[in-house]
mmCIF file of all heavy atoms in Angstrom:
data_model
loop_
_atom_site.group_PDB
_atom_site.id
_atom_site.type_symbol
_atom_site.label_atom_id
_atom_site.label_comp_id
_atom_site.label_asym_id
_atom_site.label_seq_id
_atom_site.Cartn_x
_atom_site.Cartn_y
_atom_site.Cartn_z
ATOM 1 N N THR A 700 15.242 -0.688 15.855
ATOM 2 C CA THR A 700 14.243 0.281 15.399
ATOM 3 C C THR A 700 13.256 -0.477 14.463
ATOM 4 O O THR A 700 13.404 -1.548 14.264
ATOM 5 C CB THR A 700 15.039 1.419 14.500
ATOM 6 O OG1 THR A 700 14.174 2.460 14.170
ATOM 7 C CG2 THR A 700 15.609 0.867 13.305
ATOM 8 N N SER A 701 12.335 0.287 14.010
ATOM 9 C CA SER A 701 11.280 -0.178 13.105
ATOM 10 C C SER A 701 11.876 -0.749 11.852
ATOM 11 O O SER A 701 12.797 -0.203 11.319
ATOM 12 C CB SER A 701 10.135 0.881 12.949
ATOM 13 O OG SER A 701 9.497 1.103 14.060
ATOM 14 N N ALA A 702 11.186 -1.735 11.241
ATOM 15 C CA ALA A 702 11.486 -2.285 9.968
ATOM 16 C C ALA A 702 11.367 -1.130 8.903
ATOM 17 O O ALA A 702 10.585 -0.208 9.097
ATOM 18 C CB ALA A 702 10.719 -3.495 9.628
ATOM 19 N N TRP A 703 11.949 -1.209 7.753
ATOM 20 C CA TRP A 703 11.769 -0.220 6.700
ATOM 21 C C TRP A 703 11.434 -0.723 5.268
ATOM 22 O O TRP A 703 10.759 -0.259 4.506
ATOM 23 C CB TRP A 703 12.861 0.929 6.671
ATOM 24 C CG TRP A 703 14.180 0.339 6.426
ATOM 25 C CD1 TRP A 703 14.852 0.141 5.213
ATOM 26 C CD2 TRP A 703 15.043 -0.139 7.486
ATOM 27 N NE1 TRP A 703 16.078 -0.401 5.374
ATOM 28 C CE2 TRP A 703 16.309 -0.557 6.839
ATOM 29 C CE3 TRP A 703 15.114 -0.180 8.836
ATOM 30 C CZ2 TRP A 703 17.388 -1.027 7.589
ATOM 31 C CZ3 TRP A 703 16.179 -0.638 9.535
ATOM 32 C CH2 TRP A 703 17.316 -0.980 8.885
ATOM 33 N N TYR A 704 12.137 -1.855 4.935
ATOM 34 C CA TYR A 704 11.933 -2.321 3.600
ATOM 35 C C TYR A 704 10.621 -2.823 3.205
ATOM 36 O O TYR A 704 9.886 -2.288 2.276
ATOM 37 C CB TYR A 704 12.986 -3.551 3.207
ATOM 38 C CG TYR A 704 14.344 -3.214 3.371
ATOM 39 C CD1 TYR A 704 15.300 -3.855 4.161
ATOM 40 C CD2 TYR A 704 14.926 -2.233 2.418
ATOM 41 C CE1 TYR A 704 16.685 -3.663 4.121
ATOM 42 C CE2 TYR A 704 16.235 -1.938 2.528
ATOM 43 C CZ TYR A 704 17.068 -2.536 3.330
ATOM 44 O OH TYR A 704 18.431 -2.326 3.487
ATOM 45 N N ALA A 705 9.976 -3.642 4.079
ATOM 46 C CA ALA A 705 8.585 -4.026 3.836
ATOM 47 C C ALA A 705 7.586 -3.070 4.000
ATOM 48 O O ALA A 705 6.705 -2.880 3.233
ATOM 49 C CB ALA A 705 8.362 -5.303 4.741
ATOM 50 N N PRO A 706 7.638 -2.187 5.077
ATOM 51 C CA PRO A 706 6.757 -1.020 5.120
ATOM 52 C C PRO A 706 6.716 -0.162 3.944
ATOM 53 O O PRO A 706 5.768 0.321 3.386
ATOM 54 C CB PRO A 706 7.160 -0.280 6.394
ATOM 55 C CG PRO A 706 7.863 -1.350 7.306
ATOM 56 C CD PRO A 706 8.495 -2.269 6.253
ATOM 57 N N GLY A 707 7.976 0.186 3.410
ATOM 58 C CA GLY A 707 8.158 0.947 2.263
ATOM 59 C C GLY A 707 7.614 0.354 1.062
ATOM 60 O O GLY A 707 6.886 1.048 0.200
ATOM 61 N N ALA A 708 7.858 -0.882 0.821
ATOM 62 C CA ALA A 708 7.146 -1.568 -0.285
ATOM 63 C C ALA A 708 5.703 -1.635 -0.162
ATOM 64 O O ALA A 708 4.978 -1.525 -1.329
ATOM 65 C CB ALA A 708 7.823 -3.066 -0.393
ATOM 66 N N ALA A 709 5.177 -1.813 1.000
ATOM 67 C CA ALA A 709 3.638 -1.915 1.174
ATOM 68 C C ALA A 709 3.109 -0.681 0.758
ATOM 69 O O ALA A 709 2.022 -0.571 0.116
ATOM 70 C CB ALA A 709 3.330 -2.285 2.667
ATOM 71 N N VAL A 710 3.603 0.497 1.211
ATOM 72 C CA VAL A 710 3.193 1.799 0.884
ATOM 73 C C VAL A 710 3.196 1.972 -0.641
ATOM 74 O O VAL A 710 2.178 2.568 -1.264
ATOM 75 C CB VAL A 710 3.857 2.927 1.656
ATOM 76 C CG1 VAL A 710 3.289 4.318 1.328
ATOM 77 C CG2 VAL A 710 3.952 2.682 3.138
ATOM 78 N N SER A 711 4.193 1.728 -1.193
ATOM 79 C CA SER A 711 4.480 1.824 -2.607
ATOM 80 C C SER A 711 3.371 1.114 -3.379
ATOM 81 O O SER A 711 2.967 1.583 -4.500
ATOM 82 C CB SER A 711 5.896 1.563 -3.055
ATOM 83 O OG SER A 711 6.094 0.133 -3.213
ATOM 84 N N ALA A 712 3.079 -0.101 -2.918
ATOM 85 C CA ALA A 712 1.993 -0.858 -3.627
ATOM 86 C C ALA A 712 0.606 -0.215 -3.571
ATOM 87 O O ALA A 712 -0.074 -0.195 -4.506
ATOM 88 C CB ALA A 712 1.932 -2.179 -2.946
ATOM 89 N N LEU A 713 0.413 0.446 -2.443
ATOM 90 C CA LEU A 713 -0.922 1.194 -2.302
ATOM 91 C C LEU A 713 -0.923 2.451 -3.187
ATOM 92 O O LEU A 713 -1.868 2.755 -3.846
ATOM 93 C CB LEU A 713 -1.164 1.619 -0.829
ATOM 94 C CG LEU A 713 -1.185 0.654 0.277
ATOM 95 C CD1 LEU A 713 -1.540 1.249 1.645
ATOM 96 C CD2 LEU A 713 -2.136 -0.566 -0.082
ATOM 97 N N VAL A 714 0.244 3.102 -3.141
ATOM 98 C CA VAL A 714 0.355 4.357 -3.983
ATOM 99 C C VAL A 714 0.168 3.977 -5.487
ATOM 100 O O VAL A 714 -0.503 4.706 -6.343
ATOM 101 C CB VAL A 714 1.687 5.001 -3.862
ATOM 102 C CG1 VAL A 714 1.928 6.172 -4.929
ATOM 103 C CG2 VAL A 714 1.785 5.559 -2.449
ATOM 104 N N GLN A 715 0.788 2.888 -5.945
ATOM 105 C CA GLN A 715 0.751 2.525 -7.299
ATOM 106 C C GLN A 715 -0.783 2.037 -7.717
ATOM 107 O O GLN A 715 -1.172 2.383 -8.835
ATOM 108 C CB GLN A 715 1.681 1.290 -7.623
ATOM 109 C CG GLN A 715 1.684 0.927 -9.048
ATOM 110 C CD GLN A 715 2.714 -0.174 -9.506
ATOM 111 O OE1 GLN A 715 3.137 -0.826 -8.487
ATOM 112 N NE2 GLN A 715 3.064 -0.224 -10.667
ATOM 113 N N ALA A 716 -1.433 1.337 -6.782
ATOM 114 C CA ALA A 716 -2.759 0.948 -7.069
ATOM 115 C C ALA A 716 -3.681 2.138 -7.285
ATOM 116 O O ALA A 716 -4.605 2.111 -8.138
ATOM 117 C CB ALA A 716 -3.311 0.075 -5.868
ATOM 118 N N ILE A 717 -3.343 3.156 -6.461
ATOM 119 C CA ILE A 717 -4.261 4.407 -6.617
ATOM 120 C C ILE A 717 -3.873 5.240 -8.004
ATOM 121 O O ILE A 717 -4.625 5.500 -8.735
ATOM 122 C CB ILE A 717 -4.045 5.317 -5.478
ATOM 123 C CG1 ILE A 717 -4.623 4.634 -4.191
ATOM 124 C CG2 ILE A 717 -4.828 6.723 -5.606
ATOM 125 C CD1 ILE A 717 -4.263 5.281 -2.885
ATOM 126 N N ALA A 718 -2.463 5.369 -8.052
ATOM 127 C CA ALA A 718 -2.039 6.179 -9.250
ATOM 128 C C ALA A 718 -2.367 5.532 -10.591
ATOM 129 O O ALA A 718 -2.659 6.233 -11.595
ATOM 130 C CB ALA A 718 -0.477 6.357 -9.072
ATOM 131 N N CYS A 719 -2.324 4.236 -10.592
ATOM 132 C CA CYS A 719 -2.593 3.508 -11.828
ATOM 133 C C CYS A 719 -3.951 2.996 -11.980
ATOM 134 O O CYS A 719 -4.286 2.257 -13.002
ATOM 135 C CB CYS A 719 -1.553 2.401 -11.917
ATOM 136 S SG CYS A 719 0.197 2.933 -12.030
ATOM 137 N N ASP A 720 -4.785 3.347 -10.991
ATOM 138 C CA ASP A 720 -6.222 2.939 -11.022
ATOM 139 C C ASP A 720 -6.329 1.513 -11.244
ATOM 140 O O ASP A 720 -7.220 1.008 -12.072
ATOM 141 C CB ASP A 720 -6.978 3.807 -12.121
ATOM 142 C CG ASP A 720 -8.496 3.660 -12.063
ATOM 143 O OD1 ASP A 720 -9.028 3.572 -10.860
ATOM 144 O OD2 ASP A 720 -9.235 3.910 -12.968
ATOM 145 N N GLN A 721 -5.679 0.666 -10.439
ATOM 146 C CA GLN A 721 -5.520 -0.801 -10.530
ATOM 147 C C GLN A 721 -6.861 -1.474 -10.054
ATOM 148 O O GLN A 721 -6.984 -2.663 -10.525
ATOM 149 C CB GLN A 721 -4.403 -1.255 -9.936
ATOM 150 C CG GLN A 721 -3.003 -0.849 -10.586
ATOM 151 C CD GLN A 721 -1.820 -1.377 -9.873
ATOM 152 O OE1 GLN A 721 -1.867 -1.551 -8.766
ATOM 153 N NE2 GLN A 721 -0.699 -1.531 -10.693
ATOM 154 N N LYS A 722 -7.532 -0.786 -9.258
ATOM 155 C CA LYS A 722 -8.757 -1.547 -8.634
ATOM 156 C C LYS A 722 -8.262 -2.798 -7.861
ATOM 157 O O LYS A 722 -8.942 -3.818 -7.946
ATOM 158 C CB LYS A 722 -9.734 -1.871 -9.634
ATOM 159 C CG LYS A 722 -10.337 -0.626 -10.465
ATOM 160 C CD LYS A 722 -11.132 0.245 -9.622
ATOM 161 C CE LYS A 722 -11.933 1.263 -10.421
ATOM 162 N NZ LYS A 722 -11.132 2.283 -11.189
ATOM 163 N N LYS A 723 -7.133 -2.811 -7.273
ATOM 164 C CA LYS A 723 -6.611 -3.960 -6.485
ATOM 165 C C LYS A 723 -7.212 -3.994 -5.100
ATOM 166 O O LYS A 723 -7.650 -2.818 -4.585
ATOM 167 C CB LYS A 723 -5.136 -3.806 -6.376
ATOM 168 C CG LYS A 723 -4.342 -4.098 -7.769
ATOM 169 C CD LYS A 723 -2.916 -4.231 -7.561
ATOM 170 C CE LYS A 723 -2.423 -5.536 -7.085
ATOM 171 N NZ LYS A 723 -1.065 -5.897 -7.090
ATOM 172 N N MET A 724 -7.275 -5.108 -4.526
ATOM 173 C CA MET A 724 -7.762 -5.300 -3.188
ATOM 174 C C MET A 724 -6.746 -5.424 -2.158
ATOM 175 O O MET A 724 -5.835 -6.317 -2.334
ATOM 176 C CB MET A 724 -8.771 -6.453 -3.067
ATOM 177 C CG MET A 724 -9.390 -6.556 -1.683
ATOM 178 S SD MET A 724 -10.863 -7.620 -1.554
ATOM 179 C CE MET A 724 -10.001 -9.210 -1.713
ATOM 180 N N PHE A 725 -6.714 -4.541 -1.186
ATOM 181 C CA PHE A 725 -5.766 -4.598 -0.041
ATOM 182 C C PHE A 725 -6.537 -4.498 1.215
ATOM 183 O O PHE A 725 -7.552 -3.713 1.312
ATOM 184 C CB PHE A 725 -4.788 -3.372 -0.096
ATOM 185 C CG PHE A 725 -3.790 -3.484 -1.231
ATOM 186 C CD1 PHE A 725 -4.016 -2.831 -2.445
ATOM 187 C CD2 PHE A 725 -2.528 -4.185 -1.041
ATOM 188 C CE1 PHE A 725 -3.040 -2.851 -3.494
ATOM 189 C CE2 PHE A 725 -1.631 -4.246 -2.077
ATOM 190 C CZ PHE A 725 -1.777 -3.609 -3.299
ATOM 191 N N PRO A 726 -6.065 -5.022 2.354
ATOM 192 C CA PRO A 726 -6.558 -4.657 3.617
ATOM 193 C C PRO A 726 -5.919 -3.395 4.155
ATOM 194 O O PRO A 726 -4.785 -3.289 4.112
ATOM 195 C CB PRO A 726 -6.168 -5.824 4.525
ATOM 196 C CG PRO A 726 -5.180 -6.547 3.829
ATOM 197 C CD PRO A 726 -5.087 -6.172 2.374
ATOM 198 N N CYS A 727 -6.878 -2.367 4.258
ATOM 199 C CA CYS A 727 -6.324 -1.072 4.715
ATOM 200 C C CYS A 727 -7.226 -0.522 5.919
ATOM 201 O O CYS A 727 -8.400 -0.957 6.040
ATOM 202 C CB CYS A 727 -6.338 -0.045 3.575
ATOM 203 S SG CYS A 727 -5.305 -0.418 2.239
ATOM 204 N N SER A 728 -6.680 0.424 6.572
ATOM 205 C CA SER A 728 -7.472 0.998 7.616
ATOM 206 C C SER A 728 -8.377 2.062 7.024
ATOM 207 O O SER A 728 -7.927 3.040 6.444
ATOM 208 C CB SER A 728 -6.593 1.772 8.832
ATOM 209 O OG SER A 728 -7.329 2.076 9.729
ATOM 210 N N ALA A 729 -9.703 1.764 7.159
ATOM 211 C CA ALA A 729 -10.767 2.639 6.545
ATOM 212 C C ALA A 729 -11.636 3.085 7.516
ATOM 213 O O ALA A 729 -11.889 2.387 8.482
ATOM 214 C CB ALA A 729 -11.414 1.874 5.387
ATOM 215 N N LEU A 730 -12.302 4.197 7.368
ATOM 216 C CA LEU A 730 -13.430 4.643 8.264
ATOM 217 C C LEU A 730 -14.546 3.945 8.103
ATOM 218 O O LEU A 730 -15.202 3.966 6.916
ATOM 219 C CB LEU A 730 -13.618 6.165 8.079
ATOM 220 C CG LEU A 730 -14.594 6.789 9.209
ATOM 221 C CD1 LEU A 730 -14.011 6.804 10.554
ATOM 222 C CD2 LEU A 730 -14.861 8.333 8.816
ATOM 223 N N LEU A 731 -15.095 3.236 9.084
ATOM 224 C CA LEU A 731 -16.330 2.499 8.887
ATOM 225 C C LEU A 731 -17.489 3.095 9.423
ATOM 226 O O LEU A 731 -17.469 3.756 10.415
ATOM 227 C CB LEU A 731 -16.070 1.049 9.703
ATOM 228 C CG LEU A 731 -14.912 0.211 9.169
ATOM 229 C CD1 LEU A 731 -14.892 -1.217 10.015
ATOM 230 C CD2 LEU A 731 -14.860 0.023 7.743
#
């Protein structure tokens, strides 16, 4: 089945960057 630890950690890092207004840079899927 699909992996879960790394995907879960990746999502949590994005959530934290937004919630804590960290202004961190990540590659994400964005509407261009």
Side-chain angles (χ1 to χ4, degrees):
T700 185
S701 295
W703 57 90
Y704 295 125
V710 184
S711 74
L713 302 187
V714 172
Q715 185 175 20
I717 297 166
C719 300
D720 197 25
Q721 290 179 330
K722 304 291 195 294
K723 290 188 76 170
M724 184 166 72
F725 290 93
C727 296
S728 191
L730 185 66
L731 302 185

